[in-house]
DNA sequence: TTGATCTATATCGGGCCAATATAGACTGCG
DNA sequence: CGCAGTCTATATTGGCCCGATATAGATCAA
């Protein structure tokens, strides 16, 4: 999902500045499904504006930094729906933790334990966020997506708790 | 996990050409955890060579394209372990399908069904691959990583099968 | 025999991230 | 009261990486 499409999707729900789009990608219910940085959001909004898919109004506030509030246009709405009707980009699951675990035999026992602890804590966090998001009123599509995330991260957490002992046994044996 | 580190990890297990590294990233047990393209692998190997972390031997084969076989050096092995000892990059789970589902209310009924079908089939594939990988003899670290993947994708598949009806009800209602 | 597929290396444009710069407003703490 | 830290807000840059493309001989099936 390229950043232009992400911006269009978020503007579908409400007008926003570039900064607010970033916040929604990070904190809103989008956090676990897509990513976008300022370095891509601002150029994306520029290009969307040039292409007539969004419109800008400048809110020149006295004694505050100016805001550029973006709204999606009719053409933008059509373009967004067209993007969802066409083939979706492949999922990208980059999972450095799992990659690292494949090389557990090269690492000292306590490093493995540390990585397992950190990753478990991180997954717990993610799950908490998704549960909070699930508690808020949502459309059915949003509810479905949130539930999908909960299912995936819940399973990961269960696996970590049930199977970490297998790895710790290995490194304990290697250390003998 | 940057491509240089991925290359080092794979070369830890066996010497390989750039082409073979790509194949292992795509087909080996790494497939679901990391990604790398030729456009990043070849430059990465060049830089690793310059930094003395890998060595090359050219196999000039008559009547076959030449091969450049890369081996990891002692310094490379140390650098790889150092990378795994330091803080790991964040997971990156880009999930266009879940993002799209959040906008189910904007899409026609049959498109939702089509996306659910495609994504279910794709997840089934992934799971089959992971089960095949799990059947092969592996180190405990590899076994753990494979199991983690199976847990995650299995949960996703279960969720899709159990909850797709909720979305299909929505769109059916919207169509009334 | 001819087209497809496989091995193998390499490059390029463009997309994107992480870091950084700038700047005024607000908040809390001593 | 001052000042440090945080928050809103926009923007740029270097560098990493992907996807597409080019090249080229080998193998294999129709």
């Amino acid at each position: 999902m390229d950043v232009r499409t992400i911006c269009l999707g978020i503007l579908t729900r409400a007008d926003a500045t570039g900064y607010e789009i970033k916040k929604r990608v990070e904190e809103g219910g989008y956090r676990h499904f897509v990513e976008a940085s300022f370095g891509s959001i601002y150029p994306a909004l520029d290009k969307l504006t040039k292409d007539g898919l969004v419109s800008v109004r400048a809110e020149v506030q006295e004694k505050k930094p100016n805001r550029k509030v973006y709204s999606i246009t009719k053409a933008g709405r059509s373009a967004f729906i067209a993007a969802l009707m066409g083939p979706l980009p492949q999922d990208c699951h980059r999972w450095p933790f799992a990659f690292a675990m494949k090389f557990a035999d090269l690492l000292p026992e306590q490093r493995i334990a540390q990585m397992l602890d950190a990753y478990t804590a991180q997954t717990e966090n993610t799950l908490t966020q998704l549960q909070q998001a699930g508690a808020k009123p949502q459309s059915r599509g949003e509810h479905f997506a949130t539930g999908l995330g909960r299912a995936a991260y819940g399973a990961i957490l269960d696996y970590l708790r049930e199977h970490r002992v297998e790895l710790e046994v290995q490194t304990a044996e290697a250390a003998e």
Side-chain angles (χ1 to χ4, degrees), chain A:
Chain A
M1 212 48 104
D2 62 56
V3 175
R4 283 195 300 283
T5 308
I6 293 169
C7 290
L8 285 179
I10 288 173
L11 292 173
T12 285
R13 302 305 189 193
D15 293 357
T17 64
Y19 184 79
E20 286 166 343
I21 289 173
K22 177 84 192 298
K23 269 208 309 188
R24 283 177 211 175
V25 168
E26 279 178 347
E27 297 162 19
Y30 303 100
R31 179 167 180 1
H32 310 290
F33 307 132
V34 291
E35 287 175 25
S37 67
F38 286 130
S40 54
I41 290 172
Y42 285 114
L45 289 170
D46 283 347
K47 208 189 169 197
L48 288 170
T49 307
K50 276 178 203 159
D51 294 347
L53 303 182
V54 303
S55 62
V56 208
R57 59 176 186 278
E59 289 188 3
V60 182
Q61 303 172 293
E62 277 183 45
K63 310 216 172 178
K64 274 198 181 183
N66 291 357
R67 288 157 52 87
K68 286 182 179 175
V69 182
Y70 293 87
S71 311
I72 194 166
T73 63
K74 270 195 183 174
R77 210 168 274 268
S78 304
F80 179 61
I81 290 171
L84 295 188
M85 294 298 286
L88 297 180
Q90 282 294 304
D91 285 4
C92 158
H93 293 284
R94 256 175 262 176
W95 221 349
F97 168 76
F99 180 78
M101 285 301 107
K102 290 199 142 238
F103 300 94
D105 53 307
L106 304 178
L107 299 172
E109 185 179 357
Q110 80 268 21
R111 173 59 176 158
I112 302 292
Q114 186 190 23
M115 287 165 106
L116 286 163
D117 289 340
Y119 197 71
T120 303
Q122 191 188 305
T123 308
E124 279 166 357
N125 263 350
T126 302
L127 206 51
T128 305
Q129 283 168 28
L130 282 164
Q131 273 155 359
Q132 284 167 358
K136 288 183 207 163
Q138 303 175 107
S139 76
R140 286 200 214 180
E142 283 166 343
H143 188 259
F144 180 86
T146 309
L148 185 62
R150 275 208 307 277
Y153 287 103
I156 290 169
L157 195 53
D158 289 345
Y159 185 89
L160 289 172
R161 286 175 176 153
E162 283 170 33
H163 294 271
R164 63 176 291 163
V165 80
E166 292 168 20
L167 271 186
E168 288 173 330
V169 168
Q170 172 196 31
T171 47
E173 282 174 4
E176 277 169 23

